[in-house]
Amino acid sequence: MSSFPIERSHNGNLKCPEALGSVAEKKEFDFSKALDRPRALNIERQRSCDERSMVELSIGYSPRHLVTKSELTSRLADHVDHLHSPLLKSGINTPRSPTWDPHPLTSEAWEALRRSLVYFRGQPVGTIAALDNSDEKLNYDQVFVRDFVPSALAFLMHGEPDIVKNFILKTLRLQSWEKKIDRFHLAEGVMPASFKVFHDPVRNHETLIADFGESAIGRVAPVDSGFWWIILLRAYTKSTGDSSLAEQPECQKGMRLILSLCLSEGFDTFPTLLCADGCCMIDRRMGVYGYPIEIQALFFMALRCALQLLKQDAEGKEFMERIVKRLHALSYHMRSHFWLDLKQLNDVYRFKTEEYSHTAVNKFNVIPDSLPDWVFDFMPQHGGYFVGNVSPARMDFRWFCLGNCVAILSCMATPEQSTAIMDLIESRWEELIGEMPVKVCYPALESHEWRIITGCDPKNTRWSYHNGGSWPVLVWLLAAASIKTGRPQIARRALHIAESKLLKDNWPEYYDGTSGRYIGKQARKFQTWSIAGYLAARMMLDDPSHLGLVALEEDKQLKPLLKRSNSWTL
């Protein structure tokens, strides 16, 4: 086990300045006005890759004609990446004046979020995972990369980008340190899962200590940390209009190191990333090894964000070309093989097996008898989703919230598929939202299946924690996906449910039960990303122009031609 110190001089303790709420509940929002809002900052920026379009980088795929319903729901998405949040730079303790009367819960949430701030060298560098001191701390006293994302978005929307910049630079510095687990050295581009500030009162010094997986349960490196870092760097650039941070040589190198890890060639025959179990938000054994939807969706989004952030120098252009090729292959693969709706379910049900030819329909040799009974009732007449995993002879039919929402935000999902995902959520409201949004996955593993897949994990019992638990943090992703598809009423309804319980329950980490009725049996209270997830969702609903921080517009060149290669036609 190793640690990676950075020495610095002493600073103060965690602070809790007064906070004002900056958002409020509105009944309806005129999306046309949001698209016409002027930008608040007039800063010259290099044209983004979205503006250049991938036509210049180019592999040409002709766009398919979209049905009328999808055209309507994608109009907002066509412009969302150009939305600019009306922010002014401010110090960490200077909240922006509210545009509307704040919801009563927001001031409580802001106060709790500010209590979670972690300081290093007198500067805020992140938020602690949880402030619940009732149990053993384990690693809840650390700043997690994935956990900080909703906090960062809340601060960016509130006009306080400095903490986000500090976090980006500190984690970038940690990336460069040697990473060793036992006698094995990790790749240079791996980002830490978390870090903490260690204070030495004798020497009056503080040290940053990072965890790259060598202290994690199961000793798994975080695949998602690097992707979230790139996504957050784009959000910072979009929010401030300042591209100077992303253009720093250190940030450009950090991105290239992350991309080198994902774009390296190996034995894979698929464009997806092969991962170990527990390498993402679901960080325990839950059968998500292989090609989990969460990692593939984050990979897709990080690649698209990197296209906007990389400089067009010699190294940057080389990576851009590699990214574009991978995006075309990845978008086709995910949209074709991971997508499940009523028609596709019926096709899988009728699959023939042992097909040996280039014209095989059942390309992964999925056995129809492996279809679980629940999926036939779960699938609505109108709706669909990206399944949890696809690999040889294996298809994980579970629904995962994070992967499907990120698929919408990144446009990995087509407009039709995005609409279908939201249709599914509305049709299966009791199962996926219930009494607390949102189920991390559905359904839960039970009985023999639970024993085999989780290894009898006592924390991931049925309908608890990662095994079908309800996680309030996911409401920000649901809100963003709802706004992007032009259906904010879905998020508004879910947020109303969350607001009725979160404060009185002291912001739990997760809820248990088939409908999310009970506070999780091992859930921490005052979980920071539950607080921040609520704030980010509320602020996006109150001002949808914030959506541009986390949503990308559709790139017409990524629409694949759904036909076989000419090389296999007679």
Side-chain angles (χ1 to χ4, degrees):
M1 217 178 282
S2 60
S3 62
F4 312 96
I6 300 176
E7 298 242 347
R8 64 162 296 304
S9 58
H10 175 56
N11 93 73
N13 296 323
L14 297 182
K15 302 177 181 178
C16 175
E18 289 289 324
L20 295 176
S22 65
V23 290
E25 192 153 347
K26 291 178 61 182
K27 293 182 179 177
E28 294 298 334
F29 183 83
D30 187 340
F31 286 93
S32 63
K33 290 182 180 178
L35 299 178
D36 294 335
R37 291 183 68 164
R39 298 184 177 187
L41 299 175
N42 186 20
I43 298 176
E44 279 238 8
R45 292 189 298 166
Q46 184 181 17
R47 285 194 309 156
S48 70
C49 187
D50 272 1
E51 291 163 345
R52 293 194 301 272
S53 173
M54 281 197 251
V55 179
E56 298 176 17
L57 298 168
S58 102
I59 294 176
Y61 281 81
S62 301
R64 292 183 291 117
H65 178 67
L66 301 179
V67 297
T68 305
K69 183 177 181 181
S70 297
E71 286 176 350
L72 292 173
T73 58
S74 67
R75 283 177 185 171
L76 179 63
D78 285 340
H79 300 281
V80 73
D81 194 45
H82 298 292
L83 293 179
H84 208 64
S85 299
L87 304 181
L88 294 175
K89 282 192 175 181
S90 66
I92 195 68
N93 298 326
T94 310
R96 182 163 58 109
S97 298
T99 305
W100 302 287
D101 293 334
H103 186 280
L105 193 56
T106 59
S107 59
E108 297 280 355
W110 272 112
E111 186 177 343
L113 182 60
R114 293 186 189 283
R115 282 201 304 270
S116 73
L117 285 171
V118 174
Y119 288 80
F120 182 72
R121 200 179 202 116
Q123 295 182 330
V125 294
T127 49
I128 199 170
L131 282 171
D132 187 351
N133 296 318
S134 60
D135 296 309
E136 184 185 357
K137 288 185 178 180
L138 293 177
N139 55 1
Y140 284 84
D141 62 342
Q142 300 188 25
V143 179
F144 281 81
V145 172
R146 74 174 68 95
D147 290 36
F148 181 67
V149 172
S151 296
L153 294 174
F155 283 117
L156 288 174
M157 292 182 217
H158 207 243
E160 305 177 36
D162 292 342
I163 183 176
V164 182
K165 181 177 182 179
N166 295 338
F167 172 86
I168 289 170
L169 291 175
K170 284 293 178 288
T171 47
L172 181 64
R173 175 83 184 275
L174 292 169
Q175 182 197 36
S176 65
W177 286 83
E178 182 185 50
K179 318 168 205 20
K180 187 177 180 182
I181 298 180
D182 294 330
R183 297 183 180 182
F184 182 73
H185 290 264
L186 273 69
E188 189 179 0
V190 175
M191 278 287 185
S194 63
F195 65 87
K196 64 181 178 180
V197 178
F198 175 74
H199 175 61
D200 183 349
V202 177
R203 298 175 59 202
N204 199 29
H205 275 75
E206 287 184 339
T207 305
L208 283 184
I209 301 176
D211 177 16
F212 291 90
E214 74 274 16
S215 299
I217 297 171
R219 302 300 187 265
V220 179
V223 177
D224 62 338
S225 287
F227 299 149
W228 280 123
W229 187 87
I230 292 175
I231 293 166
L232 194 54
L233 180 59
R234 177 201 170 268
Y236 172 87
T237 304
K238 197 75 180 172
S239 172
T240 62
D242 179 11
S243 61
S244 62
L245 176 63
E247 290 174 354
Q248 287 184 15
E250 296 82 4
C251 284
Q252 291 289 309
K253 180 183 177 183
M255 274 191 289
R256 292 195 300 268
L257 288 173
I258 294 168
L259 294 169
S260 294
L261 283 175
C262 331
L263 298 174
S264 58
E265 296 178 353
F267 290 100
D268 279 318
T269 54
F270 316 125
T272 41
L273 282 182
L274 181 63
C275 305
D277 219 338
C279 66
C280 49
M281 177 185 174
I282 297 178
D283 57 3
R284 300 169 74 92
R285 181 175 163 187
M286 269 292 292
V288 296
Y289 61 89
Y291 304 91
I293 181 60
E294 176 175 338
I295 291 299
Q296 313 315 319
L298 287 172
F299 180 33
F300 187 92
M301 187 162 189
L303 289 179
R304 292 203 62 200
C305 289
L307 277 177
Q308 297 181 28
L309 299 170
L310 286 168
K311 295 176 71 173
Q312 292 199 64
D313 52 20
E315 289 180 298
K317 285 183 177 179
E318 178 190 351
F319 272 95
M320 285 180 177
E321 291 172 0
R322 294 170 65 186
I323 289 171
V324 171
K325 290 178 182 178
R326 188 62 164 262
L327 280 173
H328 281 294
L330 185 59
S331 62
Y332 177 84
H333 183 88
M334 297 302 297
R335 293 168 180 177
S336 302
H337 303 305
F338 272 66
W339 182 251
L340 190 71
D341 55 20
L342 191 61
K343 180 185 180 304
Q344 181 63 15
L345 177 60
N346 207 158
D347 290 345
V348 174
Y349 177 70
R350 292 167 51 82
F351 268 168
K352 292 181 173 61
T353 58
E354 311 301 326
E355 293 180 295
Y356 183 81
S357 76
H358 295 293
T359 58
V361 175
N362 185 3
K363 294 184 178 181
F364 294 91
N365 198 36
V366 176
I367 311 300
D369 286 346
S370 68
L371 279 163
D373 292 338
W374 64 264
V375 75
F376 293 100
D377 295 326
F378 180 70
M379 183 62 69
Q381 185 72 31
H382 301 288
Y385 64 103
F386 290 98
V387 297
N389 219 311
V390 176
S391 57
R394 176 182 178 231
M395 186 175 282
D396 182 351
F397 292 93
R398 285 176 293 174
W399 178 89
F400 290 85
C401 175
L402 194 152
N404 277 275
C405 287
V406 172
I408 292 174
L409 298 177
S410 65
C411 291
M412 186 180 83
T414 65
E416 299 98 326
Q417 289 171 339
S418 296
T419 297
I421 292 170
M422 301 312 295
D423 286 342
L424 176 88
I425 292 172
E426 280 197 311
S427 298
R428 298 293 175 257
W429 187 266
E430 292 303 318
E431 292 87 346
L432 303 180
I433 307 297
E435 298 181 47
M436 176 54 66
V438 182
K439 286 291 180 195
V440 64
C441 70
Y442 182 89
L445 301 171
E446 302 185 62
S447 305
H448 181 66
E449 189 178 32
W450 167 78
R451 287 191 289 272
I452 296 299
I453 293 178
T454 73
C456 300
D457 187 350
K459 194 167 185 177
N460 272 329
T461 53
R462 64 176 185 174
W463 305 112
S464 181
Y465 201 51
H466 293 143
N467 188 16
S470 299
W471 290 69
V473 62
L474 296 172
V475 76
W476 81 263
L477 284 160
L478 177 64
S482 299
I483 296 168
K484 189 172 189 292
T485 52
R487 296 160 79 170
Q489 71 279 2
I490 294 177
R492 207 170 278 127
R493 182 182 171 194
L495 203 60
H496 178 71
I497 296 171
E499 286 172 337
S500 68
K501 297 178 68 174
L502 285 177
L503 182 59
K504 70 177 183 180
D505 291 343
N506 293 322
W507 306 99
E509 179 184 11
Y510 62 94
Y511 286 75
D512 286 353
T514 54
S515 63
R517 175 177 294 181
Y518 306 100
I519 297 173
K521 60 183 177 181
Q522 295 187 42
R524 291 299 199 275
K525 300 291 185 69
F526 296 101
Q527 185 79 15
T528 302
W529 71 352
S530 295
I531 299 165
Y534 163 73
L535 283 172
R538 169 53 60 197
M539 295 170 84
M540 274 190 281
L541 276 174
D542 288 341
D543 184 357
S545 70
H546 291 311
L547 180 63
L549 300 183
V550 293
L552 302 171
E553 67 175 274
E554 186 180 10
D555 192 298
K556 306 298 183 183
Q557 299 303 307
L558 285 179
K559 293 183 181 178
L561 287 171
L562 297 178
K563 65 180 183 181
R564 298 191 184 280
S565 168
N566 291 330
S567 59
W568 303 118
T569 55
L570 298 176

